[in-house]
Amino acid sequence: HMDRLGLWTALTFLGASPDLVMEEDITAKGLKDYKVLVVVGDCLPPSLAAAVEAWVRKGGVVLATANAGRYDAYRTPTPVFEKLFGLQTRHSEERTSFFRPRQELPFLQPFDQIGCPGGTMPQLATLERIEPLKDATVLARCKNGKGAAIVERSLGKGHVFYVAALPGVAYLWSALQPPAVPDRGPGTHSIPTEFNSGARALLQLVLKAAHVQPSIEATPALVDARLLKTSGGYILPIANYQDKVGQKVTLRIRTGEKIGKVTSAYHGDLPVKHDKGCAVLTIPSLGYGDVLRLELAK
């Protein structure tokens, strides 16, 4: 669950709006409107592998994390997902299975570091070593173990990425360093901001492979904004996760339609301009949140 939480947070701050997909949704109909599927969790029905593979061959992009699909629903080992993920072998040791964000997570010790394009990513909680198939490309390696850590496999029109780590856990862990004992003091309510750059770069790579552009880009970042379609335009609720509030925030909003008017719940009408298919606007002072109304140009 902690890996899902971190991945959800990272995708949100990258301007994507992730959905939680259940096992029952892994069908041709359930996946047809998605471009990226992130597979986490060690117990998965082996029957899902065929549906995922068929979706990838049509152009879908999968990111699977350490231990994903290693067992079936009865925790019986199954190799079904390994071939799909581009793995010849994988050896996983789940050394820490229970940890909470503020209590145990900050105190985990990395087993290894993975050299990602955007920075290193720690291998935490699960120690895993993998050997890729011949048709898989090694994108990154473990620094200490020297083995493959991130592999990519082309499958039909799509791609499968596998990482021998928990990128969501790494993303959150880095933002909680150095660790502090939760004592109900002021530090307990601090806002994590220094999220792991390696995990973020990995997700950016996956989104790029799927040709997914962020619907919302915020400067400075760490803003959760969800674009909601209405009959006359869009509603944009915003939550601010920066360590300081009251800063000026610029938003680039990609709707595919021309926005004629923007109204803030706190600041009233906001000037809007258009650049390379995006509506660009600035909130002069963003507090803990805001709601924008975007009306289509007439």
Side-chain angles (χ1 to χ4, degrees):
H1 172 68
M2 200 61 62
D3 202 31
R4 283 192 291 267
L5 175 62
L7 289 163
W8 178 284
T9 304
L11 289 167
T12 295
F13 290 155
L14 285 172
S17 295
D19 290 334
L20 182 61
V21 178
M22 306 300 292
E23 294 166 356
E24 293 80 3
D25 301 320
I26 307 300
T27 63
K29 181 179 179 181
L31 293 176
K32 68 181 181 65
D33 294 325
Y34 290 100
K35 294 183 178 180
V36 176
L37 177 68
V38 182
V39 181
V40 301
D42 54 358
C43 293
L44 294 173
S47 59
L48 298 185
V52 173
E53 180 175 343
W55 174 76
V56 171
R57 289 187 180 278
K58 292 180 180 179
V61 175
V62 164
L63 169 64
T65 69
N67 236 0
R70 186 182 175 194
Y71 306 106
D72 65 12
Y74 300 98
R75 206 167 178 78
T76 301
T78 173
V80 172
F81 282 96
E82 291 183 4
K83 182 179 179 181
L84 173 62
F85 297 154
L87 305 179
Q88 183 171 327
T89 62
R90 63 172 166 177
H91 301 282
S92 303
E93 295 181 40
E94 191 180 41
R95 295 188 174 180
T96 306
S97 59
F98 175 79
F99 45 92
R100 292 164 290 181
R102 289 285 186 171
Q103 287 91 332
E104 294 87 10
L105 173 59
F107 295 92
L108 294 181
Q109 295 299 313
F111 304 126
D112 209 333
Q113 296 286 340
I114 297 172
C116 298
T120 59
M121 178 172 62
Q123 188 184 54
L124 299 159
T126 297
L127 174 61
E128 186 168 273
R129 294 290 182 254
I130 61 174
E131 183 179 348
L133 291 171
K134 292 182 178 180
D135 65 350
T137 302
V138 177
L139 301 181
R141 296 183 176 275
C142 296
K143 292 200 167 184
N144 296 333
K146 307 296 183 183
I150 302 176
V151 298
E152 176 187 6
R153 183 185 182 214
S154 296
L155 203 59
K157 297 180 180 179
H159 301 270
V160 177
F161 295 84
Y162 187 86
V163 54
L166 304 174
V169 173
Y171 187 75
L172 298 175
W173 178 87
S174 294
L176 296 171
Q177 300 303 306
V181 176
D183 58 1
R184 298 189 181 184
T188 304
H189 302 286
S190 62
I191 304 297
T193 58
E194 299 300 322
F195 296 97
N196 185 258
S197 59
R200 180 174 62 247
L202 171 61
L203 288 172
Q204 287 175 321
L205 177 67
V206 172
L207 293 174
K208 183 178 179 180
H211 306 289
V212 174
Q213 294 180 306
S215 56
I216 299 149
E217 297 175 80
T219 307
L222 303 187
V223 168
D224 182 349
R226 304 299 171 107
L227 200 58
L228 307 177
K229 176 73 173 177
T230 70
S231 58
Y234 298 86
I235 297 296
L236 187 66
I238 302 171
N240 186 3
Y241 287 91
Q242 301 173 52
D243 57 346
K244 295 180 181 179
V245 297
Q247 295 184 1
K248 180 171 66 175
V249 174
T250 299
L251 300 175
R252 292 178 60 88
I253 305 170
R254 185 174 285 103
T255 64
E257 301 177 279
K258 189 171 183 179
I259 303 300
K261 182 180 180 181
V262 177
T263 306
S264 160
Y266 284 90
H267 301 284
D269 292 346
L270 299 177
V272 58
K273 60 182 181 179
H274 294 83
D275 177 53
K276 299 179 180 179
C278 295
V280 183
L281 59 97
T282 298
I283 301 175
S285 176
L286 180 61
Y288 293 107
D290 200 344
V291 179
L292 305 184
R293 184 177 65 199
L294 285 67
E295 300 178 32
L296 299 178
K298 297 180 180 180

